[in-house]
Amino acid sequence: MRISTLAYSIKQGIKNIFRNRFFSLASIGTIAACIFLLGIFYSIVTNFTHIVEQAEDQVSVTVFFNEGITQEQIDAIGADIRAQKAVGEVSFTSAEEAWEQFKADYFAKNPELAEGFSSNPLAKSASYTVQVKDVEKQSELVAHIEGLDGVRQVNYSARTANTLSDVGRLAGYISVAIIAVLLGVGIFLISNTIVVGISVRKEEINIMKYIGATDFFVRAPFVVEGLLIGLVGATIPLVAIYYLYSEIISYVMKQFSGLTNIVSFLPVGTIFQVLLPLGLGVGAGIGLVGSIMSIRKHLKV
Amino acid sequence: MIELRDVSKSYQQGAPAINHINLKIEKGEFVFIVGNSGSGKSTMIKLLMKELDPTAGKIVINGQDLSTLKRRRIPKLRRMIGVVFQDFRLLKDRSVYDNIAFAEKVVGASSRTIRRRVPQMLNLVGLSEKYRSFPKELSGGEQQRVAIARALVNNPSILLADEPTGNLDPKNSWEIMKLLEEVNRRGTTVLVVTHNREIVDAMQKRVVTMNKGIIVSDEQKGGHYYADKYVSL
Ligand SMILES: Nc1ncnc2c1ncn2[C@@H]1O[C@H](COP(=O)(O)OP(=O)(O)O)[C@@H](O)[C@H]1O
Ligand SMILES: [Mg+2]
C-alpha cells in the first residue's frame, strides 16, 4: 500500500468522525463507559486476587493435641496432615518452644516476671502450624483434622478467607456481565455510526468505484473511522483511571475498612501493565468489529 | 479494442435488455451508439464496465475476457476506461481541481503526479481559470467538462459517455462533442451514447443503432436515419 493511500484513509476516517459528530460521540461515550468499567473491575478483581493471595499466605491452621499424647501419635497426625492436598508447609512447635516464644513476645521487657513460673504453663500447647494453600479448601481440611485421633482443638481464621473469595468472585461476575452488555452496545453504536457515514457518502463511493478504486481503498476510511472511535473511546477512561486509581483505592478501602490492616493494594503501574494493552485492545476491537460488520453489510463493492 | 460476442443481458423481469449482440470496436475509433429510450444502451455501458455481468456471451476489452476477470481485478479494468454521464456526477463539496484530483487519489497517484496532471486536464477541457470554482458555480457544459477531465486524468485507453449532452443546450452540446472528438484525435477510443440527431448527422462518425436490445444498423460515417426508422416500427 502506498503512503498516500494510507494518508488518504486516515484523513477521510477523521473527516467521517467529524462529519458524523453525533453518532461518533455516542459511540465514543459508550466505549469509554465500557472501558472505564472494565478498568475499574479489572483493578478491583486484580487487587482482590492479590489480597486473597496475601491472605492465603497468612491462612494457617493450628492443631492442638489431647493431654498425655505420645510423640508417635503426634508424628502420625503430622503425617496424615502432610498427606492432604490443600496443605503447604507443616511445622511443629513443642510446648517448650511455645513457652519460649510466649516469653519472647510478652515478657521481653520484664524477663523477671517469667521467672515466677516454676513449670511450663503452656505444657499442653504443643501444636502443628499448617499452611493452607487453597483458602477454599480450608473448612474441609479443618473438618478432616478435627476428626483425627488425638486432636483436641483446631484454630483457624475461616471468616476472613471466605468473605474475601466471595467478594472477589461476585465482583468478577458483575464485571463480566456489565462489560459484555457495554461491549455489545459499543459494537452496535459503532456499526450504526459507520452505516450513517456510508450512506452520507454513497455518491462519492459510487464515483470511486467507477473510477477504479479498490475495495481496500473504498473501505479503509471506514475501518480507520471505527478504529479511531474505539481508540479514543478507550484512551479517555484509561487516562481517567490512571489518575483516579488512588482515589478509587481509598474508596474501596473505606467500603471494606476491615481489610485496611491486612492488605495492601497493587501500584498503578502494575495494574496498567495489563490494563493499558487490554483497554486499547478492547477499544480497537470494538471499533474494528463494528466497522467491519457494517462494511460487510452495506459496502458490497 | 472492445469486442462483444453474442452478448445477452436479461434483468429479473421483462424482455432481455441486450439480446445476442455482436460488436467490435477497434482501438482509436469514435463510435456513436443511438437508439430510443429503453433500447439497452446504458445496459451495454454497464456491461463494458463490469458493473453488470452478461447472462450469455463474451466481452473482451483490450484482450481481457471480462467473464474470467476476478472481482478483485475489476478496478484495473475500470482504470482503462473513463466514463461520463448525463448528470455529471461531480462531488458537490469539492472544487473543480479537487474533483479531478480525487480520481487520481483513488488510484493512488503521488501528489507530484496529481500536481502535474490536473492542470494538464484543466487546460485540455478549457477550464484552467475556474479550477477553484465549485460545481454549483458552473454551467452544465462546464460541469460536463470537469467530468470529462476527471474521466481522462488517469489516461484511460477508452472513454465511455452515456448521453453526455442530455442535459445541455445545443451550443454546449456541440462544444462537448467537439471536446470528445479532440480526445479521440489524441488516441483515446471514444464511445458516445446520444439522442442528439443533428450532431450525429453532422459529425459523420461510425453510428451503431440499437432497438429493443439488438443492433439494427452499424454504419461507418452514418447518420441518425436508421434510429428513426426503427423507432417507428
Ligand atoms: N436495473 C434494472 N432492472 C430491471 N430492468 C432494467 C434495469 N435497468 C434497465 N432495465 C430495463 O432494461 C431495458 C434497457 O434499459 P437501458 O439499458 O437503460 O436502455 P437505454 O439506456 O437505451 O435507455 C429497459 O427495458 C429497462 O427498463
Ligand atoms: Mg440510458
Side-chain angles (χ1 to χ4, degrees):
Chain A
M1 183 186 36
R2 293 163 209 243
I3 300 287
S4 61
T5 305
L6 183 68
Y8 169 87
S9 302
I10 292 171
K11 203 170 133 198
Q12 291 302 314
I14 293 171
K15 255 193 197 165
N16 287 354
I17 292 175
F18 282 99
R19 219 183 294 194
N20 203 353
R21 239 164 268 142
F22 176 77
F23 271 90
S24 300
L25 276 178
S27 305
I28 288 173
T30 310
I31 292 167
C34 177
I35 308 277
F36 188 71
L37 285 181
L38 178 75
I40 287 179
F41 284 122
Y42 174 79
S43 306
I44 291 174
V45 169
T46 317
N47 271 301
F48 265 107
T49 312
H50 171 66
I51 289 161
V52 168
E53 272 165 13
Q54 282 180 328
E56 279 173 350
D57 283 346
Q58 293 162 9
V59 169
S60 64
V61 170
T62 315
V63 183
F64 297 97
F65 313 107
N66 288 336
E67 237 168 306
I69 192 165
T70 65
Q71 188 60 42
E72 287 83 64
Q73 281 174 298
I74 290 176
D75 290 345
I77 292 169
D80 187 294
I81 292 172
R82 283 197 182 88
Q84 300 303 312
K85 249 206 199 130
V87 168
E89 227 167 278
V90 178
S91 61
F92 180 71
T93 312
S94 68
E96 291 69 38
E97 285 165 348
W99 177 230
E100 291 304 320
Q101 185 62 45
F102 189 85
K103 281 197 287 190
D105 285 353
Y106 294 98
F107 298 127
K109 290 203 184 102
N110 322 72
E112 67 285 355
L113 288 180
E115 302 298 313
F117 294 92
S118 52
S119 65
N120 183 353
L122 298 182
K124 295 190 291 183
S125 296
S127 67
Y128 278 121
T129 304
V130 180
Q131 295 291 328
V132 182
K133 279 194 297 198
D134 185 350
V135 192
E136 315 218 340
K137 297 273 161 59
Q138 181 179 263
S139 5
E140 219 176 289
L141 180 68
V142 167
H144 175 78
I145 298 174
E146 276 174 338
L148 292 177
D149 244 9
V151 172
R152 173 168 53 90
Q153 195 187 333
V154 180
N155 287 351
Y156 60 98
S157 49
R159 290 230 348 268
T160 331
N162 284 341
T163 319
L164 276 180
S165 49
D166 281 352
V167 172
R169 205 175 305 127
L170 188 66
Y173 289 147
I174 295 174
S175 67
V176 168
I178 296 184
I179 288 162
V181 169
L182 285 173
L183 218 70
V185 175
I187 289 174
F188 173 78
L189 278 177
I190 286 216
S191 88
N192 267 316
T193 308
I194 303 288
V195 170
V196 171
I198 290 173
S199 60
V200 165
R201 298 183 58 201
K202 197 118 233 160
E203 201 185 1
E204 187 178 337
I205 290 167
N206 260 327
I207 293 169
M208 285 163 80
K209 285 189 207 166
Y210 66 63
I211 286 172
T214 57
D215 287 2
F216 177 86
F217 191 88
V218 174
R219 291 171 170 185
F222 296 105
V223 176
V224 169
E225 182 182 355
L227 196 63
L228 283 181
I229 289 177
L231 287 175
V232 171
T235 303
I236 295 168
L238 286 175
V239 169
I241 288 175
Y242 190 87
Y243 289 106
L244 286 175
Y245 183 78
S246 54
E247 314 272 326
I248 292 168
I249 290 305
S250 75
Y251 173 80
V252 172
M253 282 295 218
K254 250 179 254 155
Q255 294 299 300
F256 303 92
S257 52
L259 305 178
T260 318
N261 298 324
I262 318 169
V263 301
S264 68
F265 287 96
L266 292 165
V268 69
T270 310
I271 295 285
F272 267 69
Q273 265 173 21
V274 175
L275 188 57
L276 186 68
L278 179 73
L280 290 178
V282 169
I286 295 175
L288 281 180
V289 170
S291 57
I292 287 170
M293 266 170 45
S294 303
I295 289 168
R296 283 253 168 113
K297 216 158 142 200
H298 300 277
L299 251 192
K300 296 205 181 81
V301 186
Chain B
M1 196 217 26
I2 301 170
E3 191 175 2
L4 288 85
R5 266 184 245 155
D6 206 20
V7 171
S8 295
K9 172 68 193 177
S10 301
Y11 292 103
Q12 255 80 351
Q13 77 277 43
I18 298 277
N19 204 349
H20 298 288
I21 276 188
N22 286 288
L23 180 65
K24 202 165 173 179
I25 295 168
E26 299 296 339
K27 187 173 171 347
E29 273 195 90
F30 189 114
V31 182
F32 282 120
I33 312 269
V34 300
N36 57 322
S37 189
S39 60
K41 307 180 297 293
S42 295
T43 301
M44 188 156 92
I45 299 281
K46 286 175 184 159
L47 289 173
L48 294 177
M49 297 185 66
K50 203 168 162 72
E51 192 180 325
L52 298 172
D53 286 317
T55 31
K58 189 166 162 175
I59 302 172
V60 181
I61 294 179
N62 292 347
Q64 171 71 57
D65 180 350
L66 298 199
S67 63
T68 62
L69 184 68
K70 296 219 170 59
R71 220 189 65 87
R72 197 159 56 74
R73 295 264 162 210
I74 292 177
K76 246 199 166 131
L77 168 76
R78 295 198 181 151
R79 289 172 197 192
M80 301 192 300
I81 304 172
V83 60
V84 296
F85 300 95
Q86 180 172 359
D87 55 1
F88 321 132
R89 301 195 192 173
L90 301 176
L91 293 168
K92 293 172 191 64
D93 61 344
R94 264 165 259 198
S95 68
V96 166
Y97 186 97
D98 288 340
N99 263 283
I100 300 169
F102 177 69
E104 292 226 274
K105 281 187 192 158
V106 160
V107 301
S110 71
S111 49
R112 216 170 44 145
T113 311
I114 295 175
R115 278 198 301 273
R116 185 169 52 81
R117 288 286 294 167
V118 176
Q120 282 176 9
M121 287 302 115
L122 283 167
N123 189 39
L124 171 71
V125 301
L127 282 176
S128 296
E129 319 282 74
K130 300 217 168 182
Y131 71 100
R132 280 156 88 176
S133 305
F134 282 78
K136 66 170 187 305
E137 298 162 356
L138 301 177
S139 74
E142 287 168 334
Q143 289 186 55
Q144 194 60 292
R145 288 164 184 278
V146 177
I148 291 169
R150 181 179 69 190
L152 293 175
V153 73
N154 292 321
N155 235 332
S157 59
I158 298 165
L159 180 66
L160 306 177
D162 193 351
E163 305 198 24
T165 62
N167 283 350
L168 303 180
D169 59 37
K171 180 173 165 287
N172 274 305
S173 297
W174 261 112
E175 284 173 11
I176 291 297
M177 286 301 182
K178 285 290 162 200
L179 178 57
L180 293 176
E181 194 176 26
E182 167 65 14
V183 167
N184 174 247
R185 212 183 49 74
R186 294 180 178 216
T188 310
T189 308
V190 176
L191 224 91
V192 184
V193 171
T194 186
H195 279 130
N196 199 314
R197 177 207 298 229
E198 294 94 299
I199 293 178
V200 173
D201 285 345
M203 280 177 71
Q204 292 293 296
K205 303 284 186 189
R206 180 177 171 191
V207 180
V208 172
T209 309
M210 292 181 66
N211 190 37
K212 295 184 178 163
I214 59 174
I215 292 176
V216 292
S217 86
D218 184 348
E219 294 283 307
Q220 298 297 330
K221 300 196 186 252
H224 203 243
Y225 156 73
Y226 284 99
D228 286 341
K229 183 174 163 192
Y230 282 90
V231 166
S232 57
L233 276 179

